[in-house]
C-alpha cells in the first residue's frame, strides 16, 4: 500500500523560510512526487539510473542551481538545500547524481576553471546535455585522499595521466571527469600540495570506466571505477585555479552541505511513512500500534531529531549565504543529519515490522542508501575528527 | 491577447482542517495552495500567450500569505500581478469579490478574464460569472478548450453525461476553466528568481471599499458531520440471520 508523503513540519519551520524558499521546495517536492516516486522502486530493483529524468530536472534548473550565470538559476544556498532535501526524499541515488553534477563537477569548473572551460562545459551541463563525474577516491586512498597515486606528467603542451579511481558516482555515464592528480613536482607520497584538478573527456584513448555491480545501496545511481592509462589531455584542460588538496575539499564542502539537507529528506520520508503506518496497523485489542508507548517513543525521537536537524542545517545555510560558514559547520551538519536519518530509517523499519523489509514501502531503500551517504563525502568518523580538530586545535587523523 | 487570471489561495486539499472558534470557517493555521482549477486557468492563459502573444496578469484577493499564489504565477510565466491585500477579503461573498476585482482593474483593458471553474474551499462557482455581468461582457463556464477565431473565440464547454457544447463568442469575455484541460508546468528555479523583478501591484481594501457592499451571503455554521449511521452485526445461525435481515429490509428500510 503506497502512502502519500505529507510533509513534515513540527515547529512551524516553514515560517523560517521566505515565500521563494517555500516555492522552490514545493516545486521540487511536486516534481519528485510526480516523476520519481512512481518509478523509483523499479529503478532500485533493477539497479537502473533513471536517465529519463535528466532533461526534466535540467529544465527545472536543478543542475548548478546555486551558480550564477551560464544559464544557472543563481539560487541561494538555502534554496539549493531545499531542492536536495526533496530530491533525497525521493532517493539518495538521484540526489547523489545531482550533487555530483552540480557541486562536484560544475562547481570546480566554475571556481577553478578558465573562461573557456566555463563556456564549454557549464551551459551544456546546466542543460543536462553533458554529464560529469568527480574522481578523487582511489582503491587505496579514501579518507586520506592526500596520499593518492594518480599522476599527471607534463609532456610538451599536454598532460599525461595515469592512475585508478574507485567508487566514482556517474563514472560510466559521464562525458567529462574531474580527475584529481598529483603533478610531478610532488615532493613525496604524502605531499598534497601538488594536487591539481584536470578535465578529462571520457572518450580520450586510455580512459576506461567500469561499473561496480552488486551494490546494496544507491542502486538508482551509477558507481564506477575509472582507469587512466597514459591518457593525454591538452594542457588547457588543467583547472588553472586549482591547487593543493584544499581544492577538492572545497568541492566536497559544497556537496556535503547539500547532503546535510538531503538526509533530512530521507528521514522525513521514513518518519512520515512510519507515522501513517502506525496509525492504521492494529495489533492487540484491535488498537493501532501508534497507541503504544514504545511506538510513540520512536515517533517522538524521530520528529525531535528531524526538527533539530532542520534548524542546524538552516543556520549553516544562512551562514553560507552570508559567506560566513566554516568547514567545521558543514561537517557538523553532514555528520549529525546523516546519522539521524540512518537512525530514523532503522526505527521506521522497526515500526513497519515485516512490511519494513519489502520495497512496497520506501524505508529499507532509504536505509540502505544512507549507509553510503554515511561513508561518502567524509565518513561520519572523519567529520568527528574535523569537529574535534576545530574545538581542540589538535589533529587526530 | 491580454489575459487576466483570477487565482485564489485555498487550504491544501489533504490538510487536516480545524474549525474556528465561532464555527463559521476554518482556522488560519493550515497549509495553503493554489486553487486547483485556477492553476489550470493560469496554464491555459500562458499557453494562449505563447500562441498569440500578449500579456498574462494574475490577480488575487486575500491576506499577505496569499501573495504566494501570485509569486507562483509570476514564476511560471505571468508578466505581472495584482494583490488585493487584506485579511478582510477572505470573508467576502462571490458578489463582493467580483465587485472588488472589477474595481481593481477598472483602468485596465483585458481581452479575456479567466477564473477557475470554482474554488476548492467555498465552491460557489459564481465569481467569474458575476464578474462578467459587472463588466458587461459575455461569459462561458466549464471551459475545456479555447481557440481564437475571426473577431472572437470558439470555446468547448463540458456538459453532463459526456456531452460537449461549442460556443462562439466575441471578445472581451470571461471564461471559467475546468480542471485537467492541460498539463500544468512546474515553476522553474530560474523562473522563481526572475519573478522577484516582475511588477506586483497592491490594492488595499480602502481603495475598493466604495465598490463593495454588505455580503448578501453568509456562512451561518460549519460543523463536522455527526456520525448517524451505525453498523449493526446480525448474529445467530445462518437461518436466523437471514430471517432478521429480511425483517429489517421489509420493515425498517422498506425495500422489499
Ligand atoms: C556509493 C558511493 C559513491 C561514491 N562516489 C564517489 C565519487 O563520486 N567520487 C569520489 O571521489 N569518491 C566517491 N565515493 C568514495 C567515498 O568518498 C569514500 O568511500 C570515502 O571517502 C571513504 O573512503 P573509504 O571507503 O576508502 O574508507 P576508508 O577511508 O578506508 O575508511 C574506512 C573506515 O575507517 C575509518 N577511518 C579512516 N581513517 C581514520 C582515522 N584517521 N581515524 C579514525 N577512523 C578512520 C573511516 O571513518 C571508516 O569508518 C563514493 C562512495 C560510495 C560508497
Amino acid at each position: 500500500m503506497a502512502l502519500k508523503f505529507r510533509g513534515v513540519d513540527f515547529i512551524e519551520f516553514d515560517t523560517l523560510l521566505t515565500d521563494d524558499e517555500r516555492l522552490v521546495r514545493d516545486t521540487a517536492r511536486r516534481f519528485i512526487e510526480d516523476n520519481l516516486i512512481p518509478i523509483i522502486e523499479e529503478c532500485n530493483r533493477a539497479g537502473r539510473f533513471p536517465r529519463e529524468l535528466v532533461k526534466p530536472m535540467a529544465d527545472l534548473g536543478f543542475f548548478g542551481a546555486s551558480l550564477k550565470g551560464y544559464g544557472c538559476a543563481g539560487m541561494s544556498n538555502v534554496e539549493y538545500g531545499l531542492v536536495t532535501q526533496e530530491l533525497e526524499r525521493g532517493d539518495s541515488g538521484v540526489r547523489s547524481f545531482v550533487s555530483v553534477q552540480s557541486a562536484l563537477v560544475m562547481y570546480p569548473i566554475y571556481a577553478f576553471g578558465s573562461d573557456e572551460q566555463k563556456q564549454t562545459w557549464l551551459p551544456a551541463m546546466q542543460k543536462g546535455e553533458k554529464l560529469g563525474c568527480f574522481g578523487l577516491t582511489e582503491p587505496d586512498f579514501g579518507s586520506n585522499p592526500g596520499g593518492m597515486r594518480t599522476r599527471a606528467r607534463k609532456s610538451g603542451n599536454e598532460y599525461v595521466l595515469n592512475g585508478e579511481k574507485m567508487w566514482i558516482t556517474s563514472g560510466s555515464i559521464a562525458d567529462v571527469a574531474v580527475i584529481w592528480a598529483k603533478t610531478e613536482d610532488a615532493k613525496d607520497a604524502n605531499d598534497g600540495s601538488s594536487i591539481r584538478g584536470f578535465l578529462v573527456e571520457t572518450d580520450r584513448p586510455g580512459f576506461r570506466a567500469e561499473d561496480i555491480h552488486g551494490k546494496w545501496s544507491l542502486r538508482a545511481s551509477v558507481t564506477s571505477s575509472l582507469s587512466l592509462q597514459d591518457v593525454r589531455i591538452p594542457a588547457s584542460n588543467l583547472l588553472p585555479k586549482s591547487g593543493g588538496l584544499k581544492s577538492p575539499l572545497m568541492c566536497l564542502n559544497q556537496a556535503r552541505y547539500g547532503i546535510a539537507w538531503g538526509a533530512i529528506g530521507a528521514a522525513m520520508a521514513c518518519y512520515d511513512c512510519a507515522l501513517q503506518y502506525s496509525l492504521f496497523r492494529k495489533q492487540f485489542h484491535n488498537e493501532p500500534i501508534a497507541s503504544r508507548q514504545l511506538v510513540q517513543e520512536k515517533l517522538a525521537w524521530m520528529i525531535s531529531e528531524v526538527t533539530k536537524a532542520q534548524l542546524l542545517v538552516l543556520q549553516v545555510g544562512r551562514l553560507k549565504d552570508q559567506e560566513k560558514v566554516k568547514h567545521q559547520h558543514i561537517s557538523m551538519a553532514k555528520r549529525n543529519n546523516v546519522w539521524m536519518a540512518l537512525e530514523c530509517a532503522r526505527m521506521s523499519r522497526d515500526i513497519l515490522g515485516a512490511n519494513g523489509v519489502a520495497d512496497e514501502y520506501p524505508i529499507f531503500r532509504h536505509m540502505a542508501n544512507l549507509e553510503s551517504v554515511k561513508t561518502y563525502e567524509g565518513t561520519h568518523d572523519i567529520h568527528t575528527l574535523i569537529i574535534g580538530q576545530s574545538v581542540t586545535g589538535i589533529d587526530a587523523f | 491577447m491580454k489575459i487576466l487570471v483570477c487565482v485564489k489561495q485555498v487550504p491544501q486539499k489533504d490538510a487536516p482542517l480545524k474549525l474556528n472558534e465561532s464555527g463559521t470557517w476554518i482556522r488560519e493555521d493550515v497549509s495553503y495552495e493554489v486553487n486547483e482549477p485556477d492553476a489550470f486557468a493560469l496554464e491555459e492563459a500562458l499557453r494562449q500567450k505563447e500562441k498569440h502573444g500578449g500579456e498574462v496578469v494574475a490577480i488575487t484577493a486575500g491576506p499577505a500569505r496569499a501573495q504566494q499564489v501570485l509569486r507562483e504565477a509570476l514564476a511560471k510565466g505571468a508578466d505581472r500581478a495584482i494583490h488585493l491585500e487584506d485579511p478582510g477579503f477572505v470573508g467576502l461573498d462571490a458578489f463582493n469579490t467580483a465587485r472588488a476585482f472589477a474595481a481593481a482593474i477598472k483602468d485596465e483593458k483585458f481581452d479575456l478574464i479567466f477564473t477557475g471553474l470554482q474554488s476548492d474551499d467555498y465552491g460557489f462557482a459564481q465569481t467569474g460569472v458575476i464578474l462578467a455581468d459587472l463588466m458587461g461582457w459575455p461569459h462561458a463556464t466549464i471551459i475545456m478548450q479555447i481557440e481564437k477565431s475571426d473577431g472572437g473565440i470558439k470555446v468547448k464547454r463540458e456538459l453532463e453525461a459526456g456531452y460537449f457544447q461549442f460556443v462562439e463568442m466575441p471578445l472581451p469575455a470571461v471564461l471559467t476553466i475546468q480542471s485537467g484541460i492541460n498539463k500544468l508546468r512546474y515553476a522553474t528555479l530560474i523562473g522563481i528568481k526572475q519573478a522577484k523583478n516582475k511588477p506586483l501591484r497592491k490594492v488595499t481594501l480602502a481603495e475598493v471599499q466604495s465598490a463593495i457592499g454588505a455580503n448578501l451571503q453568509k456562512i451561518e455554521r460549519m460543523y463536522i458531520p455527526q456520525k448517524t449511521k451505525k453498523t449493526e452485526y446480525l448474529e445467530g445461525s445462518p437461518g436466523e440471520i437471514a430471517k432478521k435481515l429480511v425483517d429489517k429490509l421489509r420493515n425498517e428500510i422498506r425495500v422489499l
Side-chain angles (χ1 to χ4, degrees):
Chain A
M1 183 176 142
L3 300 174
K4 191 168 177 294
F5 180 64
R6 302 169 308 177
V8 177
D9 185 358
F10 188 72
I11 54 163
E12 295 193 28
F13 178 81
D14 274 11
T15 60
L16 298 174
L17 303 176
T18 64
D19 279 357
D20 277 357
E21 287 163 354
R22 277 199 302 277
L23 185 52
V24 166
R25 195 262 324 268
D26 293 348
T27 295
R29 182 169 292 175
R30 200 153 57 79
F31 174 81
I32 292 299
E33 187 66 36
D34 295 347
N35 296 283
L36 180 59
I37 299 300
I39 60 168
I40 185 57
E41 301 302 347
E42 173 267 312
C43 289
N44 192 61
R45 263 193 208 187
R48 179 177 84 81
F49 167 64
R51 192 154 189 167
E52 64 271 29
L53 295 185
V54 170
K55 175 85 170 65
M57 288 197 287
D59 289 345
L60 283 195
F62 284 2
F63 304 146
S66 60
L67 306 182
K68 295 197 174 66
Y70 308 98
C72 300
M75 296 273 101
S76 73
N77 284 289
V78 171
E79 289 165 334
Y80 170 71
L82 288 161
V83 172
T84 59
Q85 171 187 296
E86 294 308 315
L87 284 166
E88 195 146 359
R89 202 279 291 183
D91 186 73
S92 306
V94 175
R95 198 272 305 136
S96 298
F97 166 79
V98 175
S99 290
V100 168
Q101 178 86 353
S102 303
L104 296 182
V105 184
M106 293 176 75
Y107 171 78
I109 296 173
Y110 183 82
F112 312 128
S114 64
D115 281 346
E116 194 195 329
Q117 289 167 343
K118 292 183 205 180
Q119 291 299 346
T120 307
W121 293 107
L122 293 179
M125 295 194 74
Q126 190 283 322
K127 293 198 200 87
E129 292 162 3
K130 299 283 180 197
L131 305 183
C133 71
F134 177 88
L136 180 67
T137 306
E138 299 185 356
D140 293 332
F141 296 91
S143 298
N144 174 28
M148 69 173 62
R149 293 205 188 97
T150 301
R151 288 290 185 278
R153 179 169 51 81
K154 190 92 185 268
S155 155
N157 227 355
E158 292 182 322
Y159 279 100
V160 184
L161 272 66
N162 278 288
E164 303 284 327
K165 296 289 178 183
M166 185 79 175
W167 298 109
I168 306 307
T169 301
S170 303
S172 68
I173 57 171
D175 301 288
V176 64
V178 173
I179 296 292
W180 299 93
K182 286 181 179 166
T183 51
E184 60 247 60
D185 34 308
K187 287 191 277 298
D188 57 62
N190 285 320
D191 174 23
S193 65
S194 67
I195 293 174
R196 310 292 302 268
F198 298 87
L199 296 177
V200 181
E201 295 88 345
T202 55
D203 55 3
R204 297 243 172 224
F207 183 98
R208 253 189 27 240
E210 247 167 88
D211 287 349
I212 297 172
H213 293 291
K215 275 184 301 169
W216 292 103
S217 179
L218 297 190
R219 294 180 50 75
S221 127
V222 173
T223 316
S224 323
S225 55
L226 310 180
S227 128
L228 296 100
Q229 279 180 11
D230 289 326
V231 179
R232 291 180 167 270
I233 54 168
S236 60
N237 278 21
L238 166 74
L239 290 170
K241 282 175 238 156
S242 68
L245 190 56
K246 73 169 189 311
S247 300
L249 293 184
M250 275 169 72
C251 304
L252 294 176
N253 248 341
Q254 298 294 318
R256 288 165 180 173
Y257 166 75
I259 291 170
W261 279 98
I264 295 174
M268 283 178 168
C270 294
Y271 163 78
D272 185 54
C273 177
L275 173 61
Q276 293 192 48
Y277 185 90
S278 70
L279 285 164
F280 70 71
R281 173 70 179 173
K282 290 182 177 153
Q283 289 296 294
F284 296 105
H285 324 296
N286 199 32
E287 283 168 10
I289 56 173
S291 64
R292 295 292 167 266
Q293 290 180 351
L294 289 174
V295 175
Q296 287 195 3
E297 194 276 334
K298 293 186 180 71
L299 295 169
W301 190 91
M302 288 193 276
I303 188 66
S304 304
E305 289 303 326
V306 168
T307 303
K308 284 147 69 180
Q310 284 180 300
L311 294 173
L312 171 60
V313 80
L314 180 65
Q315 168 64 0
V316 171
R318 298 272 184 243
L319 286 176
K320 201 162 184 306
D321 278 331
Q322 296 159 23
E323 296 178 13
K324 286 194 210 150
V325 81
K326 305 248 166 52
H327 67 92
Q328 61 268 28
H329 301 152
I330 293 174
S331 284
M332 181 180 284
K334 193 270 182 185
R335 175 180 184 271
N336 177 76
N337 291 10
V338 176
W339 161 78
M340 90 69 207
L342 192 48
E343 290 301 306
C344 284
R346 288 171 179 158
M347 273 187 195
S348 300
R349 208 294 302 154
D350 193 355
I351 289 176
L352 264 74
N355 275 321
V357 308
D359 67 5
E360 207 181 318
Y361 295 93
I363 293 177
F364 210 96
R365 175 171 52 81
H366 281 299
M367 185 168 97
N369 282 345
L370 287 162
E371 291 289 350
S372 284
V373 181
K374 187 182 181 195
T375 285
Y376 70 26
E377 301 280 346
T379 69
H380 183 83
D381 288 343
I382 290 298
H383 287 296
T384 311
L385 299 181
I386 293 173
I387 298 168
Q389 201 279 339
S390 150
V391 294
T392 63
I394 305 168
D395 243 347
F397 292 94
Chain B
M1 276 200 289
K2 209 170 140 181
I3 309 174
L4 179 76
V5 188
C6 305
V7 223
K8 185 177 185 182
Q9 192 189 40
V10 295
Q12 227 162 42
K13 259 194 292 304
D14 40 13
L17 303 179
K18 284 165 260 166
L19 295 183
N20 66 9
E21 275 172 16
S22 53
T24 51
W25 192 234
I26 54 164
R27 274 173 41 179
E28 273 280 308
D29 56 340
V30 59
S31 304
Y32 290 90
E33 65 184 0
V34 177
N35 184 44
E36 191 181 65
D38 301 355
F40 288 97
L42 172 71
E43 178 65 39
E44 196 52 37
L46 294 172
R47 285 171 189 228
Q48 292 295 329
K49 182 188 134 178
E50 280 157 10
K51 253 190 253 160
H52 307 296
E55 190 186 21
V56 173
V57 181
I59 190 169
T60 199
R65 60 166 161 76
Q67 196 184 306
Q68 178 95 9
V69 300
L70 296 180
R71 293 239 152 267
E72 191 170 334
L74 293 171
K76 285 183 170 182
D79 300 284
R80 58 190 171 92
I82 306 169
H83 187 184
L84 282 68
E85 186 185 335
D86 198 284
F89 285 115
V90 174
L92 295 189
D93 62 13
F95 184 29
N96 272 325
T97 304
R99 291 205 283 189
F101 280 161
I105 59 164
K106 64 179 189 310
D107 298 328
E108 305 244 21
K109 267 204 155 46
F110 291 106
D111 300 302
L112 278 168
I113 298 180
F114 289 179
T115 71
L117 172 63
Q118 59 186 25
S119 61
D120 290 338
D121 54 359
Y122 288 133
F124 290 149
Q126 287 298 305
T127 310
V129 178
I130 299 173
L131 185 57
D133 191 64
L134 293 172
M135 308 287 290
W137 296 0
H139 77 264
T141 56
I142 332 180
I143 299 302
M144 302 288 296
Q145 203 179 306
I146 303 160
E147 264 168 55
K148 222 175 152 197
S149 61
D150 301 334
I153 47 171
K154 193 176 158 196
V155 300
K156 178 181 173 187
R157 299 186 59 222
E158 185 182 23
L159 305 182
E160 295 288 306
Y163 280 91
F164 297 107
Q165 186 183 45
F166 292 85
V167 184
E168 300 225 29
M169 53 203 299
L171 295 176
V174 177
L175 303 176
T176 78
I177 309 287
Q178 172 66 300
S179 279
I181 74 164
N182 46 40
K183 194 167 175 290
L184 299 180
R185 70 192 65 195
Y186 300 96
T188 65
L189 301 189
I190 287 246
I192 294 171
K193 269 264 121 71
Q194 287 168 346
K196 280 202 180 86
N197 304 320
K198 292 184 177 175
L200 194 157
R201 174 160 72 92
K202 293 203 179 179
V203 178
T204 63
L205 187 54
E207 282 172 74
V208 295
Q209 192 78 57
S210 63
I212 60 181
N215 276 348
L216 299 178
Q217 207 171 23
K218 164 169 160 237
I219 298 176
E220 293 276 338
R221 189 164 85 90
M222 261 193 33
Y223 60 95
I224 313 272
Q226 302 288 319
K227 252 203 187 146
T228 49
K229 296 201 182 82
K230 214 174 103 213
T231 308
E232 195 181 327
Y233 291 94
L234 302 177
E235 284 174 18
S237 69
E240 287 163 353
I241 291 177
K243 227 191 209 153
K244 285 185 199 164
L245 186 61
V246 169
D247 177 61
K248 285 200 177 284
L249 293 176
R250 183 169 291 148
N251 299 318
E252 259 180 55
I253 310 170
R254 294 169 205 266
V255 290
L256 293 182

